[in-house]
């Protein structure tokens, strides 16, 4: 049988300098060098296991976390050396703004080992909100750092959150103005979501709806393409890696808690660092049958605003008409697309259609 080829690879680095109280991503705060060494060993063991079974021809490689830089440049370099990359591979790393203090050196080292895209977690430019989120970085220096990054000619994206504790529309406007002023090519705006809302004073539902509309209107007016529910970019700067997920392309995820989609199976590792280090090959798996496949096509396809989904995937035509009547979706020829300004309702829309 012909060997399957991995085109998209995700590597999870579960370390942070400190744990943010609102974050549900699998990560732990540690300075323990030993555990990082062991983690690197486990990652390479897992990689070698797959190398024996599948081929690698990487179009995209994504280091997410956690805060991948906290693994150390030397270890990231070892990982990349173990992978076949070309000068066409999109190689992204997520970075916390506070790790960019020495911007020039860090970006140069990252470029030297092959990275050509970085994603920076700005979150918001409002100092008092950052303080509430227990995020501490030098806001004044961020502007300077961004200018420096531009000079160093590396693609970059900024992450923002909205619907934050005590956030006002005016605060969001300042974040949007910053994106415009610095001609940022790619930006994500995530709705702040927490499992325990108690400690936070979150904006009312109607304010959140206004925020969603403002983000869409402001950015599309400024020639950004709202290409996915939370993602906006100038043409040519879409995230190829994330597009692969939303387009249901196969990918491999290495590291603790990472998910994969290969040979019509979705499989994942449990979120337990010690267990992963002990046995990095252990996975839980789910086979994707025709029914699941169609549901995934609806769930993922609707996220891509321009692409949409084929109408014949929808069984419940009554619900489809209902959503159309209330302008939540539009039907163009044989395609169903979500209405740009209603993307905040994506979960409920999908629920009606699957
Ligand atoms: C994997 S996280 C980590 C990135 C990096 N460690 C940082 O904090 O800057 C990627 C992005 O997810 C978003 N995020 C994290 N927690 C979130 C939450 N509770 N609700 C919405 N977005 C969240 C943030 O915008 C963050 O930059
Ligand atoms: S630094 Fe980023 S990944 Fe780490 S806990 Fe905070 S938000 Fe989560």
């Amino acid at each position: 049988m012909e060997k399957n080829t991995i085109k998209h690879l995700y590597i999870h680095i579960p370390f942070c300098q400190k744990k943010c109280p609102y974050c549900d991503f699998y990560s732990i705060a540690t300075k323990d060098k030993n555990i990082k060494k062991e983690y690197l060993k486990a990652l390479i063991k897992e990689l070698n296991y797959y190398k024996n079974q599948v081929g690698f021809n990487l179009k995209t490689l994504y280091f997410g976390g956690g805060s991948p830089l906290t693994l150390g440049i030397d270890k990231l370099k070892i990982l990349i050396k173990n992978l076949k990359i070309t000068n066409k591979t999109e190689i992204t790393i997520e970075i916390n703004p506070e790790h960019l203090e020495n911007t020039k050196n860090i970006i140069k080292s990252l470029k030297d080992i092959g990275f050509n895209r970085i994603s920076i977690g700005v979150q918001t430019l409002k100092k008092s909100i950052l303080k509430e989120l227990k995020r501490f970085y030098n806001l004044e220096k961020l502007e300077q750092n961004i200018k420096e990054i531009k000079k160093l000619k590396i693609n970059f994206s900024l992450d923002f959150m909205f619907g934050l504790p005590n956030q006002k529309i005016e605060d969001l406007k300042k974040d949007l103005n910053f994106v415009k002023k610095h001609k940022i090519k790619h930006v994500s705006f995530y709705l702040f979501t927490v499992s325990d809302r108690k400690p936070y004073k979150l904006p009312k539902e109607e304010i959140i709806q206004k925020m969603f509309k403002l983000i869409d209107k402001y950015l599309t007016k400024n020639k950004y393409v709202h290409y996915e529910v939370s993602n906006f970019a100038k043409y040519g700067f879409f995230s190829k890696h994330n597009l692969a997920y939303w387009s249901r392309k196969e990918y491999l995820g290495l590291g603790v808690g990472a998910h994969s989609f290969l040979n019509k199976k979705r499989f994942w590792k449990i979120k337990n660092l010690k267990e992963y280090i002990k046995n990095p090959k252990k996975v839980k798996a789910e086979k994707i049958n025709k029914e699941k496949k169609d549901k995934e096509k609806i769930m993922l396809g609707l996220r891509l605003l321009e692409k949409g989904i084929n109408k014949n995937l929808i069984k419940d035509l009554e619900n489809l008409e209902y959503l159309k009547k209330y302008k939540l979706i539009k039907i163009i020829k044989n395609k169903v697309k979500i209405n740009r300004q209603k993307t905040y309702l994506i979960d409920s829309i999908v629920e009606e259609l699957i």
Side-chain angles (χ1 to χ4, degrees), residues 114-129:
F115 286 96
N116 48 32
R117 189 171 183 276
I118 62 177
S119 172
I120 309 167
V122 175
Q123 319 311 351
T124 171
L125 299 169
K126 178 93 177 168
K127 229 181 207 165
S128 57
I129 301 181

Side-chain angles (χ1 to χ4, degrees), residues 22 25 65-67 94 96 121 123 135 159 161 190-193:
Y22 60 86
F25 288 95
S67 308
E94 288 178 347
N96 293 40
Q123 319 311 351
R135 303 271 308 192
D159 279 353
M161 296 192 286
Y190 298 112
L191 173 64
F192 182 65
T193 327

Side-chain angles (χ1 to χ4, degrees), residues 15-16 18-20 22-23 25 27 65-67 96 98 123 135:
F15 306 116
C16 290
K18 57 170 206 53
K19 185 77 196 167
C20 306
Y22 60 86
C23 173
F25 288 95
S27 65
S67 308
N96 293 40
E98 66 271 24
Q123 319 311 351
R135 303 271 308 192

